[in-house]
Amino acid sequence: LWLRAIAAYPAAYLDDEATMHDAFDALDNAAADTTPLVLRTMVPARIVHAAHTNDFDALELAIDDAIDIEGARPMDPELRTAWRIHAAEAMRALGDIDRAAELISEIDAQLDSIPYPLAVHTLRRDSVAISIDPATDDYTGTRANLERRARRLGVDLRAIGLDNESAVDGAPAPLHVRLLGPLTVERHGEPVGAETWGGRRQAQILLALMLAEGPSVSIDRVAELFWGDLDSRTSASRVSPLCNAVRSVIGTNEQLDPPRSLLVKGGTITLELHPDDRCDLHELRAVCELAREQPDRARAAALQMLPLLAERPITNVGSQDGAIMVRQALEQELLELAPQLAEAWTGRRAPDSVVDAVTRAHRLDPLSVPICARLMRLHLDRDEAAKASTAFHESRAAYRSEVGMSVPSELTSLHGIALSAGTSRT
C-alpha cells in the first residue's frame, strides 16, 4: 500500500493521471487507517496536479481536505509542514502571492515547533519566500546561496518547481533581446559587447524599432526618425551601414534553420528572427494574449512579467529624437498592457504587484477608461471599495481639468458599486 500510494507523488509531476488515481483508489479501499499516508502522498500529489493543470479550485479543495485531516486527530508536525510547502509552491505558481505568504507564515510556525532540523523543508520554504519577494535585499546573493544549499542536499529546485519558469528549457536562447530597461542583446547566453555595434547608436534604435513595430519598417520611416527630410538615395546610403551593424550584433551569419535575416528590399527593411529567439516585449505581449484567452493559465506567467512594466524602455540608447520617439511608443504600450495583464485576476483577489502596476498606469494616464475601470475592479475584488472610489475621483478630476467633460458612464457605474460595497460594510 505504501509503495502504491507513494507512486502518486511522481505521477503528479509527470501528469500520469492513471497511476495517480490508481494510488488514490488503493488508499480509499484500504482496510487500515491511512490518514498519515493520505497527508504524506495523496494531498501533495493533488496539490502538484492542481498546479500543473492551473486548477485553483482543486488546489483549494486539497488544502481544505488537509486541514480537515489535521483537525481530526493529532498529527506529526513534519507532515503538517510538508503539505504546506507544496501548497505554498502551488499558490505561488498560480499567482496568489498573498495566500502563498500566509502559508509561509504557517510553515515558519511549524518549523519552529520541531526540535530537529528539516533541511530540505527549510530550503524549499526559503525558495518560495524569495520568489514571492524578489525585491529583498541582495536577491541575487540569496538565490545563489539557495542553489548552493540545494546542491549540498541533492535537491534540484527547478525540477520540483511548479511555476512557468521551472518548465523552461535550461538552454539559453540563440538570440535574446531585451528592450525594457537597458537595451541588451545576448547570443547563446553571452552578452554582446558594445564594440560589436561599432559605435552606431542609431543601429540600436533601428533594432528596437523593428522589434517594437516590425518586423518591417520603411526606409522613409527610419530616415524621418534619424535625419529628417532626406532624398531616397541618401537615406538608403545611410541606412546600409546601420543594417550591417545590426546584422553583426544579431548574428545573421549563424547556421540556423530557418535562418535569421535582415533584408533591405524595395524601400523596406525586414527583420526575420529564428523561432527560438526571444524578446522581452514579445513575451509580454504573448502573456497579455494568454490572459485574455485563458486567464487561469496566465496568472503565473503574468506575475513573472509584471516587473517589466516598471522598466523604462531602451534607457541606454541616448536622447536623440529617434530614441525618444521609440521609447515613448514603448512606454505607451506598457501602459496599455498593464490592465490587459490584470485580466488574469478577474473576479479574484489580485496580488499587490498587479494592483501596483495598474495603479502606475492609471497615474500616468487617468483619462484612460479601460485602465481606470480595471483598477477599480481590482480594488473591488480585493474588498477595497475606498481605493476604488479614490481611483474614480482621480479620473473624474482629470476629465474636468484637462478636457472639461464629465467622467464616462462606465466609471460612474463602477463607482456606484464601490459606494454600495462601502455602505454595506459600514
Side-chain angles (χ1 to χ4, degrees):
L1 181 63
W2 269 91
L3 289 175
R4 292 190 67 183
I6 289 170
Y9 185 62
Y13 276 99
L14 297 171
D15 295 324
D16 181 356
E17 294 191 27
T19 300
M20 189 172 69
H21 289 296
D22 282 347
F24 294 170
D25 290 343
L27 285 168
D28 290 338
N29 296 326
D33 178 12
T34 61
T35 304
L37 194 53
V38 168
L39 205 59
R40 167 70 71 192
T41 62
M42 182 188 290
V43 169
R46 288 171 59 192
I47 288 172
V48 169
H49 185 64
H52 276 203
T53 57
N54 292 285
D55 191 337
F56 196 88
D57 293 336
L59 173 57
E60 289 282 16
L61 183 60
I63 291 174
D64 289 344
D65 288 347
I67 293 172
D68 289 344
I69 292 171
E70 288 184 344
R73 53 175 288 180
M75 195 64 60
D76 183 345
E78 191 275 335
L79 285 179
R80 294 173 179 267
T81 305
W83 76 259
R84 282 181 170 84
I85 289 172
H86 289 90
E89 291 171 340
M91 285 293 182
R92 164 65 182 87
L94 295 186
D96 194 336
I97 299 304
D98 293 337
R99 188 72 177 94
E102 291 174 5
L103 286 161
I104 289 295
S105 297
E106 294 178 22
I107 293 166
D108 288 342
Q110 295 293 336
L111 289 173
D112 288 342
S113 71
I114 300 174
Y116 48 88
L118 295 173
V120 174
H121 289 350
T122 303
L123 170 73
R124 292 178 70 166
R125 176 262 174 222
D126 292 347
S127 179
V128 177
I130 190 175
S131 71
I132 64 178
D133 187 18
T136 188
D137 293 340
D138 191 21
Y139 171 82
T140 302
T142 305
R143 173 58 64 182
N145 178 266
L146 279 175
E147 291 171 353
R148 286 193 296 271
R149 288 163 56 193
R151 285 194 294 271
R152 286 198 300 270
L153 294 168
V155 176
D156 184 348
L157 289 173
R158 289 177 61 84
I160 61 175
L162 298 175
D163 57 14
N164 285 10
E165 184 178 352
S166 66
V168 175
D169 186 356
L175 178 71
H176 191 177
V177 184
R178 297 178 177 88
L179 303 179
L180 308 180
L183 172 69
T184 59
V185 180
E186 293 180 358
R187 285 166 53 185
H188 300 285
E190 295 296 325
V192 172
E195 68 280 357
T196 312
W197 292 101
R200 297 185 182 277
R201 186 65 58 84
Q202 290 173 334
Q204 297 175 299
I205 303 170
L206 176 61
L207 177 60
L209 176 68
M210 287 188 291
L211 289 172
E213 297 186 3
S216 297
V217 296
S218 69
I219 292 178
D220 290 341
R221 163 81 167 139
V222 175
E224 180 185 358
L225 280 175
F226 294 159
W227 309 296
D229 293 331
L230 280 180
D231 62 84
S232 298
R233 181 175 298 180
T234 305
S235 298
S237 65
R238 292 192 181 186
V239 162
S240 181
L242 300 184
C243 291
N244 287 336
V246 174
R247 290 188 186 100
S248 296
V249 168
I250 66 175
T252 55
N253 59 347
E254 193 172 353
Q255 297 299 311
L256 295 171
D257 184 22
R260 187 184 302 127
S261 65
L262 180 65
L263 302 176
V264 181
K265 184 177 181 180
T268 299
I269 310 168
T270 302
L271 173 65
E272 294 289 348
L273 297 178
H274 186 269
D276 293 335
D277 292 341
R278 296 177 58 191
C279 172
D280 56 359
L281 178 63
H282 297 172
E283 292 168 358
L284 197 60
R285 290 170 176 168
V287 173
C288 285
E289 187 67 25
L290 186 63
R292 285 193 296 269
E293 296 180 356
Q294 302 180 56
D296 286 339
R297 287 189 56 208
R299 287 190 184 92
L303 198 63
Q304 291 176 6
M305 301 299 284
L306 278 166
L308 295 177
L309 298 177
E311 297 286 351
R312 190 160 184 256
I314 55 174
T315 55
N316 57 341
V317 298
S319 57
Q320 67 180 81
D321 290 345
I324 292 172
M325 292 183 68
V326 175
R327 186 178 296 123
Q328 288 175 341
L330 287 169
E331 288 175 336
Q332 183 62 39
E333 181 168 2
L334 294 184
L335 287 182
E336 296 169 357
L337 292 178
Q340 291 180 22
L341 277 180
E343 292 286 344
W345 282 271
T346 297
R348 294 185 179 180
R349 181 182 177 87
D352 290 344
S353 58
V354 177
V355 180
D356 290 344
V358 183
T359 299
R360 287 194 303 271
H362 181 244
R363 286 172 181 165
L364 289 170
D365 188 7
L367 297 178
S368 170
V369 174
I371 291 176
C372 183
R374 173 49 52 199
L375 180 58
M376 292 178 70
R377 291 190 185 101
L378 286 175
H379 284 310
L380 289 171
D381 289 339
R382 286 161 54 102
D383 295 324
E384 297 171 344
K387 291 182 178 179
S389 183
T390 297
F392 168 80
H393 285 295
E394 289 173 352
S395 285
R396 185 173 71 170
Y399 268 92
R400 285 178 174 175
S401 62
E402 296 182 31
V403 294
M405 294 174 55
S406 299
V407 72
S409 58
E410 178 183 352
L411 301 184
T412 303
S413 299
L414 282 172
H415 187 229
I417 295 173
L419 291 176
S420 299
T423 302
S424 63
R425 281 199 299 274
T426 302

